[in-house]
Amino acid sequence: MDLHLRGVVLPGGDERDVWVSGGTIVAEPVPGASEVDGGFLVPGLVDAHCHPGIGVHGPTTLEEAVEQAETDRDAGTLLIRDCGVPIDNRPLQRRADLPRIIRAGRHLALTKRYIPGLGIELDEPSQLPAAVAEQAADGDGWVKLVGDWIDRGIGDLAPLWPDDVLAEAIAVAHDAGARVTAHVFGEDALPGLIDAGIDCLEHGTGLSADQIDDLARRRVALVPTLINIENFPGIADSAKKYPTYAAHMRALHARVGETVSNAIEAGVPVYAGSDAGGMVEHGRLVDEIDALRGAGMSAEQALGAASWDARDWLGAAGIEPGESADFLVYHQDPRLHPEVLRSPAHIVLRGRLVR
């Protein structure tokens, strides 16, 4: 279906006509295009940390992953950076009615050092570079490492990888044209990950002020997944056998707002990710946008972190001629009325009106 809309196009804020034909935004008027009421047009939302294929009990079926992606789409998420999934969700990428997905393959961890069934569990740290090479070849330009997790032998969070192995593994990924991100909650794994040239940190709750400045200088991205960090007290409550770990998780939770606020103020590239799958329901990206506002972003910055800025970071276009028509329409300006993000008037995905 060919479409014609007129509205204020973000982030620039200019009012203009947007014509859609064959799923693509075109520069010239399209005769006979269906008129769609405009307002404020926003590039499709981006969930930069999402797991279509992980459920409460671990890996899902493909059918369940489709339902998860539909839930995200109906909440306005039109691009997902899959941040580690244990099933082959490539069939979702071939569905024109589902969000675009950038795959990161499977989490890379050590045996008994991550959630069972989700990642590839290596027997020895020395196997990491070869495993990274395999995931870089299999994914869409991203590799996901588990940087730290509870070590039950010491009863607290601890790094998984020696620094020299990390440096070699990340170099392997970069040589293959892939970027590397890492799950990291605590403090001890951060120096090795940052010095090794990591491209992105997930969660990052243990960051110090000096490390935040280092991230800003190196342009390392942070996806703090604030709505998932809200689960830390519950995780601590369930870890009665490991009181040091439980106290550590509570302390990380208590300071996360200050940590993320400092990262925003320092100029670290911060993006919105819900961590949907498992402990967080799909379709909650707007909750994460709200949480970023609570951590110090303006409404416009927080929206950019889940839309145009995130799309630029991931190599996806906005609302421009020649690009895929993936955008949302709101009747009020979401920069002034962020509550409207929960109820888009129209969702356009690959040039088709989803709603």
Side-chain angles (χ1 to χ4, degrees):
M1 176 186 293
D2 296 336
L3 305 174
H4 173 224
L5 304 92
R6 183 170 181 80
V8 176
V9 179
L10 299 184
D14 54 317
E15 185 175 3
R16 56 185 169 93
D17 293 292
V18 174
W19 303 88
V20 177
S21 182
T24 301
I25 299 169
V26 297
E28 301 297 327
V30 179
S34 297
E35 299 288 339
V36 179
D37 54 319
F40 293 84
L41 279 61
V42 177
L45 299 184
V46 179
D47 193 334
H49 187 131
C50 189
H51 302 284
I54 295 178
V56 174
H57 303 294
T60 69
T61 65
L62 194 60
E63 292 74 16
E64 289 169 329
V66 168
E67 292 175 1
Q68 292 173 333
E70 290 173 337
T71 298
D72 289 320
R73 176 202 65 198
D74 292 347
T77 294
L78 303 187
L79 176 63
I80 289 170
R81 185 180 63 140
D82 144 11
C83 216
V85 171
I87 68 171
D88 183 357
N89 59 11
R90 277 174 283 208
L92 276 66
Q93 293 179 306
R94 298 190 283 270
R95 292 270 300 258
D97 61 329
L98 296 180
R100 299 180 186 277
I101 298 176
I102 297 172
R103 295 173 49 257
R106 296 188 67 181
H107 305 71
L108 295 176
L110 288 171
T111 301
K112 297 183 179 179
R113 291 296 306 280
Y114 194 54
I115 301 168
L118 296 191
I120 294 174
E121 298 185 357
L122 307 179
D123 295 324
E124 299 289 341
S126 61
Q127 298 173 324
L128 183 64
V132 164
E134 291 177 359
Q135 293 303 301
D138 189 55
D140 299 327
W142 282 94
V143 176
K144 172 72 175 291
L145 308 181
V146 177
D148 69 358
W149 196 252
I150 186 172
D151 182 332
R152 289 168 175 80
I154 65 173
D156 199 3
L157 293 167
L160 273 72
W161 318 104
D163 291 355
D164 59 337
V165 171
L166 276 175
E168 180 183 354
I170 291 175
V172 165
H174 289 169
D175 288 345
R179 290 184 277 184
V180 183
T181 193
H183 160 104
V184 56
F185 283 160
E187 298 86 355
D188 293 348
L190 285 164
L193 290 166
I194 295 170
D195 290 343
I198 198 79
D199 300 287
C200 180
L201 296 173
E202 312 299 321
H203 321 300
T205 43
L207 285 163
S208 69
D210 288 344
Q211 288 168 338
I212 285 170
D213 289 340
D214 205 8
L215 295 190
R217 180 179 60 82
R218 296 173 185 248
R219 305 305 293 165
V220 177
L222 173 65
V223 183
T225 67
L226 288 166
I227 61 173
N228 189 32
I229 304 308
E230 287 304 309
N231 289 308
F232 278 20
I235 294 172
D237 290 345
S238 66
K240 298 187 186 337
K241 290 174 59 178
Y242 304 101
T244 302
Y245 166 75
H248 196 176
M249 294 295 281
R250 291 191 181 96
L252 292 169
H253 173 263
R255 74 183 207 225
V256 67
E258 180 182 1
T259 300
V260 177
S261 177
N262 290 341
I264 293 166
E265 185 175 352
V268 175
V270 175
Y271 302 107
S274 70
D275 206 353
M279 299 187 77
V280 177
E281 294 180 353
H282 285 260
R284 291 193 58 197
L285 183 63
V286 175
D287 290 336
E288 185 68 16
I289 297 172
D290 287 348
L292 289 175
R293 287 170 42 228
M297 282 189 171
S298 68
E300 185 166 0
Q301 286 175 318
L303 180 53
S307 178
W308 52 83
D309 290 333
R311 296 180 76 87
D312 183 63
W313 174 56
L314 294 173
I319 305 173
E320 299 296 337
E323 304 295 344
S324 178
D326 300 332
F327 57 85
L328 309 171
V329 181
Y330 300 95
H331 289 325
Q332 290 181 289
D333 189 340
R335 299 169 298 181
L336 302 177
H337 304 279
E339 67 276 5
V340 304
L341 292 173
R342 298 188 183 278
S343 53
H346 301 293
I347 299 173
V348 179
L349 175 60
R350 296 180 177 88
R352 299 170 57 189
L353 277 170
V354 176
R355 193 177 71 192

